[in-house]
Amino acid sequence: MDFVVVSPSEHASVVSITLFVALLCACIVIGHLLEESRWMNESITALAIGLCTGGVFLFTTKGRSSRVLVFSEELFFIYLLPPIIFNAGFQVKKKQFFRNFMTIMLFGAIGTLISFFIISLGALGLIRRIDIGLLDIGDYLAIGAILSATDSVCTLQVLNQDEIPLLYSLVFGEGVVNDATSVVLFNAIQNYGQEHIDVVVVLRFFANFFYLFLTSTALGAFAGLFSAYIIKKLYFGRHSTDREVALMMLLAYLSYMLAEFLNLSSILTVFFCGIVMSHYTWHNVTESSRVTTKHAFATLSFVAEIFIFLYVGMDALDIEKWTFVSNSPGKSIGVSSILLGLVLAGRAAFVFPLSFLSNLTKKSPDEKISFNQQVTIWWAGLMRGAVSMALAYNQFTRSGHTQLPGNAIMITSTITVVLVSTTIFGLMTKPLIRLLLPSSQKHGDCLSLEPSSSKFFLQPLLGNEQDSEVEVRGQNITRPTSLRMLLSKPSHTVHYYWRKFDDAFMRPVFGGRGFVSVLPTSPTDQHDHS
C-alpha cells in the first residue's frame, strides 16, 4: 500500500486553512452571541477577532508574521467579491431600488466623482508637504479612487430594510454603484497614465466610464435573461433541482468572469445579473430550488464577508509594512489623519448638496430626504473596507511585497483609515440611527413610502384605459394624461409603463412572477398568477 508524503509547504497550507476555518466558525458563534448588542455587528466582531488573532501570531512567531494566509487581490476580486455583490442584487427590493434609481445614481456615480476629486486634490496638496518618499501624480489620483470606495457590507448589517426602506435602498444602491465607480476610476487611472493630462484625456476618461457602465449593465441583464430563458424552456426541475441551482450559480459567476475577460465592470455586471435573475429566473424554478438558491446565495455572501473582515484584521498587524514606518511614526499618523479628514470632507461635499438637488425633484414630503436622513447617509458611507484594501495593495505593492517607504506609508495609512472608520464609525452607527430616526419615525417612513405615496397615483392608472375617470371608494378621480403623469411622478410613471411592457412581452418569453406556462408541469406557482 502506497502512502502519499505531504511536503512541508503543503502541510503548512493545510494547517493555515484549518486555523482560518476554525476562526470563521468562532466569528459566526461570537457574532450570534453579540447579535442583540447595541454596538457590535458581525463585521466588527470578525475584525476584532482578526486583530486579536494577528496579535497572538505576531507574539508566537516573535514578530515575523501575523497572518494565517497571504492576501491576494485575485482571491478577493475573483472569489470573495462576486457572491457578495450578486446576493446584494438578488435580495434587493427592486421596487424601492428603482423608485430611487436616479438618486442612487446621483450619489453612487456623481457623488463618487466629487469625493474622488476632493480626496485626490487634498492628498496632492497636503501629503506632498510631508516628506514620505517618492510618489507621482498617479499615486495621488489612485488614493482618491481607493478611499472613495465605501464599505456597504458593514453598513447594511446595521440598517433594517423593512423599517427604513428609503435609507436602506439609498445606502445599499449607492454602495454598489460606488464600488463599481471606484474600481472603474482606479482602472482608468492605471490605463491612461499621468504624463499628459488635458481636456481630451478627461473627455476620453468620462466617455470610457459611461461606456463601461452601460456595457457592464447590459451584460449583466443579458446573462440574467439568458438563464431565465434556458431554465424556462428546458425546465430542469422535472429531473433534478440540483441542476437548476447549479446552473443559476454558474451562469451568475460566468457573467462576472465574462466582464473581467472583456475588461468591463464585473461588479455592476453581477449586480444587475442578480436583479434580473430574481425577477425572472427565480420564478421559473421549482419551489425547492427557490428555497435552496435563496439560502445558498445568502450563505456564500455571509461567509465571504466574514472571511474578508477576519483577514483585514489580521493583515493590519503585518510587520513588513509597519517596519518601514517605525522610524517615522509621526509621518504615518499625519498622513492617516489627513486621509481620514479628506474622507469626511469628500463625503459631506456631495451628500448634502446632491440631497438638496434630489429633493427639488420630489413633490411629496414623504419622498424627500430629511436632514436627519442626510446625516445618516453621510455617516453610513464613511466606512472603508475590503475594496479599499484590495485596491491599495494593487497600487502600492509589487508581487505581494511593499518595497518603498512611501508605498508602505500609504498602505499603512489606508489600513488605519479602514480600521478607524470600521470600528469607530461602525460602532456609532446603530446609536446614531436610534437617535436621529426614532422607531415611530422609522415605521412612519415604512408605511408612507410603500402604500400612501403611490396609492392615489397608481389606483387611477389601474382602471380602464378607455375611461377618463375612475371611481375609487365612491369618488370619481380623473385619470391624468401620460405627459402629466411623467412630469408629476416620473419614477411611478416609468414603473407603470415598464410593468405593462413586462407583462405583455418579457414574461411570456422569459417567465417570472405572474406568468403561467402552457406546460402542465410549469414551475411557476398558480398563486403567483392569481
Side-chain angles (χ1 to χ4, degrees):
M1 184 176 181
D2 296 329
F3 292 93
V4 178
V5 179
V6 180
S7 65
S9 61
E10 291 177 346
H11 179 72
S13 299
V14 171
V15 171
S16 298
I17 294 173
T18 303
L19 288 173
F20 208 90
V21 172
L23 289 172
L24 287 173
C25 294
C27 289
I28 293 173
V29 172
I30 296 174
H32 173 72
L33 296 175
L34 297 175
E35 187 176 8
E36 298 302 324
S37 171
R38 179 178 178 180
W39 305 92
M40 299 294 287
N41 58 57
E42 283 159 343
S43 297
I44 298 176
T45 301
L47 194 63
I49 292 175
L51 283 169
C52 295
T53 306
V56 171
F57 273 97
L58 202 62
F59 177 76
T60 54
T61 59
K62 297 180 180 179
R64 289 194 301 272
S65 176
S66 66
R67 296 174 296 184
V68 178
L69 299 174
V70 178
F71 183 84
S72 169
E73 299 94 73
E74 291 183 359
L75 172 68
F76 173 72
F77 282 107
I78 302 299
Y79 300 108
L80 297 179
L81 194 59
I84 296 175
I85 303 299
F86 176 80
N87 184 65
F90 195 77
Q91 304 286 355
V92 68
K93 290 188 175 182
K94 296 180 289 296
K95 187 175 181 181
Q96 275 292 335
F97 178 80
F98 286 104
R99 177 179 294 177
N100 301 296
F101 186 73
M102 293 308 298
T103 306
I104 287 171
M105 292 304 302
L106 200 63
F107 284 169
I110 306 301
T112 303
L113 290 173
I114 294 173
S115 176
F116 160 73
F117 283 117
I118 288 179
I119 295 175
S120 298
L121 295 176
L124 186 63
L126 297 175
I127 297 179
R128 262 194 168 182
R129 299 181 181 182
I130 305 174
D131 185 19
I132 62 171
L134 184 62
L135 294 176
D136 56 26
I137 297 178
D139 292 324
Y140 290 107
L141 294 176
I143 201 66
I146 290 168
L147 293 180
S148 293
T150 62
D151 178 29
S152 56
V153 172
C154 185
T155 305
L156 295 179
Q157 290 182 354
V158 180
L159 301 178
N160 189 309
Q161 186 168 195
D162 296 319
E163 289 183 346
I164 42 178
L166 174 62
L167 275 184
Y168 187 93
S169 64
L170 289 178
V171 174
F172 163 78
E174 183 220 335
V176 174
V177 178
N178 169 281
D179 286 346
T181 305
S182 298
V183 174
V184 170
L185 278 171
F186 183 82
N187 292 335
I189 290 166
Q190 290 190 323
N191 292 335
Y192 280 105
Q194 304 83 34
E195 292 81 8
H196 304 286
I197 298 180
D198 52 22
V199 176
V200 177
V201 172
V202 172
L203 291 176
R204 285 175 55 194
F205 171 81
F206 281 106
N208 182 57
F209 170 76
F210 287 111
Y211 164 77
L212 288 176
F213 188 89
L214 294 175
T215 52
S216 302
T217 302
L219 178 60
F222 174 79
L225 292 174
F226 178 75
S227 69
Y229 184 80
I230 291 294
I231 290 179
K232 175 176 176 291
K233 285 296 182 184
L234 300 182
Y235 186 26
F236 293 88
R238 283 178 295 190
H239 305 290
S240 170
T241 58
D242 297 337
R243 294 175 185 172
E244 289 182 324
V245 177
L247 192 62
M248 284 184 70
M249 288 184 172
L250 291 174
L251 285 175
Y253 190 65
L254 178 63
S255 70
Y256 185 90
M257 295 309 300
L258 275 176
E260 285 287 321
F261 176 75
L262 297 173
N263 294 320
L264 302 177
S265 173
S266 49
I267 294 177
L268 277 177
T269 296
V270 78
F271 174 68
F272 280 98
C273 178
I275 290 180
V276 174
M277 276 194 174
S278 69
H279 189 65
Y280 295 109
T281 313
W282 191 74
H283 297 284
N284 294 340
V285 300
T286 59
E287 186 64 32
S288 58
S289 294
R290 295 185 192 181
V291 176
T292 303
T293 52
K294 197 173 186 68
H295 289 287
F297 293 144
T299 302
L300 289 172
S301 174
F302 173 75
V303 173
E305 292 168 10
I306 300 300
F307 187 104
I308 290 169
F309 282 100
L310 182 63
Y311 185 86
V312 168
M314 285 189 290
D315 188 67
L317 299 178
D318 180 36
I319 196 66
E320 181 191 63
K321 294 183 285 291
W322 293 101
T323 302
F324 282 99
V325 301
S326 59
N327 296 327
S328 54
K331 291 182 179 180
S332 179
I333 295 173
V335 172
S336 302
S337 302
I338 290 172
L339 293 179
L340 194 60
L342 290 173
V343 167
L344 293 166
R347 184 155 184 84
F350 77 83
V351 168
F352 297 104
L354 294 184
S355 296
F356 175 77
L357 292 178
S358 176
N359 287 340
L360 292 178
T361 64
K362 307 288 179 61
K363 292 188 176 181
S364 173
D366 294 329
E367 294 181 345
K368 293 185 177 182
I369 308 172
S370 66
F371 180 75
N372 285 355
Q373 290 174 332
Q374 293 176 32
V375 174
T376 306
I377 293 172
W378 168 72
W379 184 271
L382 290 175
M383 284 174 271
R384 299 296 181 263
V387 174
S388 296
M389 291 278 289
L391 295 179
Y393 274 98
N394 186 288
Q395 178 69 21
F396 297 109
T397 61
R398 303 293 181 269
S399 303
H401 298 283
T402 308
Q403 299 175 334
L404 300 173
N407 288 359
I409 288 180
M410 297 309 294
I411 291 236
T412 54
S413 299
T414 304
I415 292 173
T416 303
V417 171
V418 169
L419 290 178
V420 171
S421 63
T422 303
T423 52
I424 296 179
F425 298 157
L427 287 172
M428 292 297 297
T429 301
K430 268 187 182 179
L432 184 70
I433 290 176
R434 293 181 180 180
L435 176 65
L436 295 178
L437 305 172
S439 298
S440 60
Q441 181 180 344
K442 289 190 289 186
H443 291 299
D445 263 348
C446 180
L447 294 174
S448 64
L449 280 168
E450 280 300 324
S452 63
S453 61
S454 58
K455 184 176 180 181
F456 81 97
F457 180 73
L458 288 180
Q459 279 185 343
L461 301 180
L462 297 177
N464 190 346
E465 291 289 333
Q466 304 299 322
D467 298 334
S468 61
E469 295 184 347
V470 181
E471 187 174 346
V472 180
R473 293 184 181 179
Q475 297 179 353
N476 289 333
I477 298 178
T478 303
R479 185 179 71 86
T481 64
S482 299
L483 181 59
R484 282 184 56 198
M485 287 159 48
L486 184 61
L487 293 176
S488 60
K489 294 281 184 179
S491 60
H492 295 101
T493 307
V494 172
H495 179 262
Y496 167 69
Y497 283 110
W498 160 250
R499 287 299 300 268
K500 291 184 65 176
F501 174 77
D502 195 25
D503 292 337
F505 300 102
M506 298 296 287
R507 291 183 179 181
V509 177
F510 299 104
R513 180 185 295 275
F515 173 73
V516 178
S517 173
V518 295
L519 293 175
T521 54
S522 169
T524 309
D525 290 344
Q526 295 291 334
H527 68 82
D528 281 345
H529 178 64
S530 61

